Amino acid sequence: MSASPATTDTAIIRSLDDVVGAGNPVVSVAPVRLDAPGRARPLDVRISAPVTGQDLPVLLFSHGNGWSLDGYTPLTTFWASRGFVVVQPTHLDSRRDGIAFDDPGFGQVWTERRADLVRAMDQLDVIERVVPGLAGRVDRSRIVAAGHSWGAQTVQMLLGARVLDSTGTVGQDYGDRRVLAGVLLAATGIGGDELHPFAQEHFPFMNPSFAELTTPTFVVAGDHDQSKMSSRGPDWFTDAYTHGPGATDLLTLFGAEHSLGGIPSWEAAETTDENPERVAALQRLTTAYLRSALDPADTGWAKAGAALAETGGTLGRIDNKEHADNTRV
């Protein structure tokens, strides 16, 4: 019998553990200050990595609005334990010391968020140097990215998605070819007239064009996630999958709200749908996806889908554009 809590010692989680394997101990260092000339605040990041292993890929993580480098440990620690060097910046909208909605500079925070991830990629030498025992163990040619909520919008820019201006014209290309794959967790969808007035005023980035999103992408949405920013229902959070050519896989989590079971933190007020089993499944599914995205010979993602199909359950559903037979989780 597993030592895990009963809520995660389930058939689904055991099947997925067979795919992703056991984890290794993790070392985490924070805050690490990176160079960021011209930024309104200093740029601090957290770096988490397994204590063993070679040729470790890099995973950039972008937090949701108001969070910081200290959040999302249910995901980031798991990813690090399974072989990723996870880099988490504190963006300028953090509640810790961030720029509020009424600040004159808030309108440009969305571009600075993307710049934070680029700065991290540009300073991987610093990241290797400050973590004890990490130097020489990082494969800088294998970089992926993941983000939640506003963080998902930040990451999708690196994956190729753009922003439409007030005339509907596609804006600047902020894609970065160094990012080979991505995971979008509760990513807001297409804007337009369905955006509520507050979002129209404060969030110019909420008018995305997903037609240019061509990098391999895994989209995760909750079917009970009702945003206060749009009159659309929970399907709003599936738009990246519907309209993004590179977004080939969609996981819809049944009963999940915006925190997807508690990925920011168990104790957070934002976690309105606490569900450890849901988070455990998400940990393992995202790990399997990213590993296979980085290595075409890695069959983990296919095995995860097969394991989920055999195990059954009621957690959610995986849709894949390349396969007619979808998988129920």
Side-chain angles (χ1 to χ4, degrees):
M1 178 66 69
S2 168
S4 301
T7 48
T8 60
D9 185 17
T10 63
I12 290 174
I13 304 307
R14 290 193 295 271
S15 296
L16 292 174
D17 276 338
D18 289 340
V19 176
V20 301
N24 291 313
V26 171
V27 59
S28 184
V29 179
V32 175
R33 184 150 295 178
L34 300 181
D35 288 339
R39 195 176 188 268
R41 308 276 196 280
L43 173 58
D44 290 333
V45 304
R46 175 179 295 278
I47 306 157
S48 303
V51 299
T52 61
Q54 297 292 325
D55 301 321
L56 304 173
V58 176
L59 195 166
L60 307 171
F61 183 78
S62 180
H63 64 70
N65 180 40
W67 280 87
S68 72
L69 56 78
D70 291 323
Y72 294 89
T73 55
L75 289 182
T76 58
T77 300
F78 187 91
W79 288 330
S81 75
R82 267 61 178 184
F84 290 90
V85 178
V86 182
V87 184
Q88 300 172 253
T90 292
H91 294 304
L92 287 174
D93 56 287
S94 174
R95 287 188 293 267
R96 177 169 297 175
D97 59 357
I99 296 175
F101 295 143
D102 57 355
D103 189 290
F106 185 83
Q108 293 303 311
V109 167
W110 65 282
T111 58
E112 281 295 315
R113 280 175 141 266
R114 180 261 183 189
D116 290 342
L117 301 182
V118 172
R119 290 167 177 136
M121 287 189 281
D122 291 343
Q123 297 177 66
L124 290 178
D125 55 338
V126 176
I127 287 167
E128 282 197 49
R129 186 170 63 248
V130 300
V131 179
L134 186 59
R137 297 170 51 218
V138 180
D139 184 349
R140 303 186 189 188
S141 70
R142 296 195 300 154
I143 301 176
V144 294
H148 175 240
S149 193
W150 196 356
Q153 185 277 333
T154 303
V155 167
Q156 73 195 30
M157 294 166 67
L158 296 179
L159 304 176
R162 303 196 191 183
V163 174
L164 302 175
D165 66 18
S166 59
T167 68
T169 302
V170 175
Q172 181 176 342
D173 180 4
Y174 287 104
D176 195 306
R177 294 181 180 274
R178 291 175 292 182
V179 180
L180 303 180
V183 174
L184 305 181
L185 304 162
T188 55
I190 290 173
D193 294 338
E194 292 172 317
L195 279 184
H196 291 166
F198 180 86
Q200 292 182 20
E201 178 182 356
H202 294 283
F203 301 131
F205 60 85
M206 279 192 181
N207 283 288
S209 170
F210 292 114
E212 297 79 20
L213 194 161
T214 56
T215 305
T217 301
F218 180 28
V219 178
V220 180
D223 73 350
H224 279 51
D225 188 356
Q226 180 58 60
S227 177
K228 297 179 180 179
M229 300 297 171
S230 173
S231 60
R232 289 269 300 280
D235 69 302
W236 189 47
F237 295 94
T238 68
D239 281 355
Y241 173 76
T242 302
H243 301 285
T248 56
D249 295 89
L250 168 68
L251 170 63
T252 303
L253 292 169
F254 300 147
E257 298 176 9
H258 200 58
S259 291
L260 303 176
I263 61 173
S265 170
W266 298 119
E267 298 82 9
E270 288 94 330
T271 300
T272 56
D273 62 334
E274 182 174 324
N275 188 315
E277 184 188 33
R278 183 181 296 148
V279 174
L282 192 53
Q283 292 168 334
R284 291 151 177 81
L285 287 167
T286 51
T287 298
Y289 175 83
L290 290 172
R291 285 176 174 174
S292 294
L294 286 171
D295 180 5
D298 186 307
T299 59
W301 182 234
K303 290 178 179 178
L308 295 171
E310 292 171 5
T311 305
T314 58
L315 278 181
R317 178 184 181 87
I318 293 177
D319 294 295
N320 184 286
K321 290 177 179 176
E322 299 173 352
H323 299 92
D325 56 329
N326 297 321
T327 304
R328 286 187 81 81
V329 192

